[in-house]
Amino acid sequence: MGLRAYNIGADTEWYLYYLEKNKGITLNQIPQNTEYYEYGYSLFNNLCSYLNLDKTTFLLVVSVIEVIPYFIFVSKYSQNLLLSILTFMAFQPLNLCMGMFRQAIAISIFFLGINGIFEKNIKKYCICIIIASFFHTSILFLLPLYWLGKLRIHKNMVFFVPIITAVFVVFGKVISHYIVSKSHYNGYLDSKYDTTENGTQLLTLVFLAISVLCILSIRNHSDSGTSNLIDEKLNLSIWACMLLCMCQPLVYNFVLFNRVTAALSYFLPICIPNICNITKDEKGKMYLTVGLVVFMILFCYRQIGSNIYINDYSFYWEV
């Protein structure tokens, strides 16, 4: 990602503009010129400008910050790392890392503090959330995961999730407008971000299918009451996935909700490999794994091909 051309990614050129604009600032000016973005990212950008980083080095540094903390988490708790990497590429996280630096860095910081949930250390969790919010305020939407993660997934949720998702699909415009009207984003009502895309709801259906399959795959765990660290992380990830399929319909009515769905989609690389546990038969698991890998490759091809910001991928030396 760090070696890509400077026009790849939704907001890459804009971030590079501020990097170049602030070149030549002094050490004392680093904490002062911070009005253009959240304070944390502004400080980071000013520091990179002060160090006179070129564009490629800057993109490399950003990519390392975005990816390394997250994949430390994934590598420790994924049941199939290859499938997790394909999931990362197929859904929103890759697009986020390519062009939405502030939110991707905020999510990376969030995963540094996610153990606060499992250690029942709310101070550690909240401190990381607060620090992350200095890079992108949307990360505050993940704060309730601390309490959701304590609730065990039950097999009856297989019926609950489709019903709630259907409500969000039918009443998406009303729900999204009400939430936005009560937030500091109310100025975006009736703007270009307020649009009913009338999409196919493909992602909603995909996220719903993933949620249902994940719930079915852990039904034995929920019935037996077993509890260990890996199960807790999976439990939290499935909660995030369920929220994802409920929030996705709102994106079709108010595009700014993709800030929430993008953050929640970072839990998919933990959820999806676990689907293979829906059967105890080893041959069945193998078939499921192969099927999921093929699906992820095809879905990744479709998503990247339809994304105008990254589908014409090139390296910086090719431009």
Side-chain angles (χ1 to χ4, degrees), residues 133-303:
S133 70
F134 282 102
F135 287 82
H136 204 285
T137 54
S138 66
I139 202 70
L140 295 173
F141 284 106
L142 297 185
L143 186 60
L145 289 181
Y146 180 85
W147 293 275
L148 276 179
K150 296 179 179 180
L151 303 177
R152 302 297 292 175
I153 301 292
H154 192 274
K155 63 182 180 180
N156 290 340
M157 290 181 178
V158 166
F159 307 103
F160 168 76
V161 177
I163 293 172
I164 298 299
T165 302
V167 171
F168 275 73
V169 170
V170 174
F171 299 102
K173 192 171 186 66
V174 174
I175 295 171
S176 62
H177 276 221
Y178 177 79
I179 294 173
V180 172
S181 68
K182 300 299 181 181
S183 71
H184 68 280
Y185 289 107
N186 55 15
Y188 288 103
L189 289 171
D190 299 319
S191 71
K192 64 179 181 179
Y193 300 104
D194 180 6
T195 175
T196 302
E197 297 181 11
N198 293 320
T200 61
Q201 295 286 352
L202 173 63
L203 280 177
T204 303
L205 293 174
V206 170
F207 296 150
L208 179 59
I210 293 170
S211 297
V212 169
L213 290 173
C214 284
I215 294 169
L216 291 174
S217 71
I218 66 162
R219 56 187 171 184
N220 293 331
H221 291 296
S222 62
D223 290 340
S224 63
T226 58
S227 177
N228 58 57
L229 201 57
I230 293 179
D231 283 341
E232 288 178 357
K233 285 179 168 57
L234 177 60
N235 188 76
L236 175 65
S237 298
I238 296 174
W239 269 111
C241 188
M242 289 192 294
L243 290 176
L244 178 60
C245 71
M246 295 174 194
C247 291
Q248 183 60 36
L250 303 182
V251 177
Y252 292 104
N253 295 283
F254 206 94
V255 72
L256 284 180
F257 277 96
N258 65 7
R259 305 295 194 272
V260 180
T261 58
L264 292 170
S265 69
Y266 271 69
F267 288 92
L268 290 175
I270 299 296
C271 289
I272 289 177
N274 192 70
I275 291 174
C276 300
N277 291 329
I278 203 168
T279 176
K280 295 181 180 180
D281 180 64
E282 291 302 318
K283 185 177 288 188
K285 286 184 179 182
M286 182 187 71
Y287 289 145
L288 270 174
T289 302
V290 172
L292 285 170
V293 167
V294 171
F295 173 77
M296 285 302 154
I297 291 174
L298 294 175
F299 200 80
C300 180
Y301 177 79
R302 180 193 180 279
Q303 290 296 92

Side-chain angles (χ1 to χ4, degrees), residues 298-312:
L298 294 175
F299 200 80
C300 180
Y301 177 79
R302 180 193 180 279
Q303 290 296 92
I304 292 177
S306 62
N307 190 319
I308 61 173
Y309 298 112
I310 61 177
N311 65 355
D312 192 22

Side-chain angles (χ1 to χ4, degrees), residues 99-115:
M100 302 177 188
F101 301 170
R102 289 151 49 228
Q103 190 174 7
I105 292 173
I107 293 171
S108 184
I109 296 171
F110 165 80
F111 276 97
L112 286 175
I114 197 171
N115 280 334

